[in-house]
Amino acid sequence: SLLPLAAPVFPQAIDAFYDKVLETPEMMKVLSQGPRQVERLKVSLARWLEGLFSRPRDADYSASIQMIGHVHVRIGLDLHFMVTMMNLLGERLTLAIMSRPGIPSGVLFEDLASLHRALSLDLALMLNTYHTGRELKAVLEERRASWERLRDQENLALVGRMAASVAHEVKNPLAALSSVVQSLLENLPSGSSDHDLGTAVLKRVDGLNRYIENLLTFTQNRPLRPARVDPSRVVTEAVAFFRKDPRFHGIVVENESRGSLPEAVMDPDQVQRLLLNLLLNAAEAQDGKGRIRVKASTGDISWRVEIQDEGPGIPEDLEKRSFQPFHTTKKGGSGLGLAQARQTAATHSGN
């Protein structure tokens, strides 16, 4: 019986609600399809409002309201927007009901009670959907993460067997080749084209050896050698080692980890390699010039290191793949540096 009175209020309430929504930057990300999506949502909201006053409160109605809640969870609509919508509707519809002249107070009270029972019931159903929907979403995300971890472990086991085989077949010939080239260089005049060629070959051989060592380190999961150390000392030593790399003399490293920090348990060698991987990645991202800022800090039960560079950053579509083994966007890159860093952090119960 209240529908004819409430229906004229629907367009104003819907517009007022979406005006509030569109003022919020995070909601603009959710409504990524722009005005057309907003218009579709307004139609859906009007349909729900009509059902609020006309449909019986049965199992079908309950299911339809919960479906609306599931859609809101899926698109990322924050819960407070739903509460805001209910409050706004309650205010507008209460004013419309109370504005009728000559209505006995008993009838007016019953109409208002009926309105707020309906709004409260729908809000309760949607709030429950938010709770169960988020729990389900968390379970599905954990299941997907478990599958990804299992896939990574299977891939690493396969790569580990391949790496061991490659190392066995290649390292000895490489060592022999390196020895022969070094002997030849001793008998060639420095600065000659033959000497330069031999030096280039030697660098390539050293690069192959480093790649094989990185592959073995990454796949063999060497046990930790834990010790109580000052995190700032580990960071400072990693920075000092990085500064000696002739490729990056154009990089200024600002180490803000001055002074000692409370000791933490870690494998200092593995953590230092992790930091070097991140520093090398930062330096290569800005073409060997510019600044890198490094800072270590501690919390109640953990410590944190920040490495900030002046590079272009990682494109959003590549962020999730950046730490996958063998994924690289750099010419000649192995795709192991960030994967190795993540693995080391994980073995230290970090991230």
Side-chain angles (χ1 to χ4, degrees), residues 121-195:
L121 175 62
D122 280 29
L123 180 59
L125 288 170
M126 291 186 190
L127 290 177
N128 182 63
T129 305
Y130 266 82
H131 178 67
T132 57
R134 284 175 174 171
E135 285 184 343
L136 177 61
K137 189 176 181 180
V139 168
L140 293 175
E141 287 176 352
E142 176 56 32
R143 184 172 297 177
R144 182 169 61 249
S146 297
W147 276 111
E148 289 176 354
R149 287 194 294 269
L150 180 61
R151 181 198 61 200
D152 288 346
Q153 290 169 2
E154 291 174 346
N155 288 343
L156 284 178
L158 175 60
V159 171
R161 291 194 293 270
M162 292 174 59
S165 175
V166 168
H168 177 74
E169 296 294 331
V170 172
K171 288 198 76 174
N172 287 339
L174 283 177
L177 178 59
S178 178
S179 179
V180 169
V181 172
Q182 286 176 0
S183 297
L184 289 173
L185 286 174
E186 291 175 1
N187 298 311
L188 291 171
S190 179
S192 67
S193 59
D194 289 339
H195 190 280

Side-chain angles (χ1 to χ4, degrees), residues 56 65 73 83 106 110 114 142 146 153 155 160 181-182 194 218 238 255 259 266 285-286 295 309 340 342:
I65 298 304
V73 173
V83 177
E110 184 57 37
S114 177
E142 176 56 32
S146 297
Q153 290 169 2
N155 288 343
V181 172
Q182 286 176 0
D194 289 339
F218 181 68
N255 184 9
M266 70 183 81
Q286 52 196 53
K295 182 178 181 181
D309 61 60
Q340 205 166 10
R342 182 183 70 168

Side-chain angles (χ1 to χ4, degrees), residues 18-183:
Y18 275 101
D19 285 344
K20 288 182 178 292
V21 167
L22 296 174
E23 290 173 357
T24 312
E26 60 263 29
M27 285 310 304
M28 293 302 293
K29 295 178 182 178
V30 173
L31 303 175
S32 57
Q33 298 174 28
R36 293 179 62 184
Q37 183 181 11
V38 172
E39 291 305 314
R40 289 198 303 272
L41 290 172
K42 285 184 177 182
V43 171
S44 299
L45 185 53
R47 193 181 302 123
W48 165 67
L49 284 171
E50 184 175 349
L52 178 73
F53 286 89
S54 60
R55 291 180 60 182
R57 297 305 189 267
D58 54 16
D60 288 342
Y61 182 82
S62 176
S64 69
I65 298 304
Q66 292 187 68
M67 181 61 68
I68 294 172
H70 282 304
V71 171
H72 292 167
V73 173
R74 190 183 73 243
I75 67 173
L77 182 71
D78 196 274
L79 185 60
H80 81 270
F81 283 106
M82 182 51 55
V83 177
T84 298
M85 179 65 205
M86 288 299 189
N87 289 339
L88 192 150
L89 278 173
E91 292 171 3
R92 297 293 177 100
L93 294 172
T94 296
L95 288 173
I97 290 171
M98 295 182 67
S99 65
R100 295 173 297 172
I103 301 297
S105 58
V107 175
L108 189 62
F109 177 81
E110 184 57 37
D111 287 347
L112 290 174
S114 177
L115 168 67
H116 288 286
R117 277 198 303 270
L119 290 173
S120 297
L121 175 62
D122 280 29
L123 180 59
L125 288 170
M126 291 186 190
L127 290 177
N128 182 63
T129 305
Y130 266 82
H131 178 67
T132 57
R134 284 175 174 171
E135 285 184 343
L136 177 61
K137 189 176 181 180
V139 168
L140 293 175
E141 287 176 352
E142 176 56 32
R143 184 172 297 177
R144 182 169 61 249
S146 297
W147 276 111
E148 289 176 354
R149 287 194 294 269
L150 180 61
R151 181 198 61 200
D152 288 346
Q153 290 169 2
E154 291 174 346
N155 288 343
L156 284 178
L158 175 60
V159 171
R161 291 194 293 270
M162 292 174 59
S165 175
V166 168
H168 177 74
E169 296 294 331
V170 172
K171 288 198 76 174
N172 287 339
L174 283 177
L177 178 59
S178 178
S179 179
V180 169
V181 172
Q182 286 176 0
S183 297

Side-chain angles (χ1 to χ4, degrees), residues 221-225 267-275 343-344 347-348:
N221 284 328
R222 294 176 181 174
L224 294 176
R225 295 184 176 88
D267 183 326
D269 292 335
Q270 287 201 21
V271 172
Q272 199 170 100
R273 279 198 295 272
L274 178 156
L275 296 172
Q343 187 184 67
T344 301
T347 57
H348 285 78

Side-chain angles (χ1 to χ4, degrees), residues 210 242-251 280 283-284 287-289:
R210 282 197 303 273
F242 170 81
R243 284 171 173 159
K244 294 177 182 177
D245 193 323
R247 294 174 297 169
F248 303 121
H249 282 168
I251 294 282
L280 289 170
E284 290 169 351
D287 299 324
K289 55 184 180 292

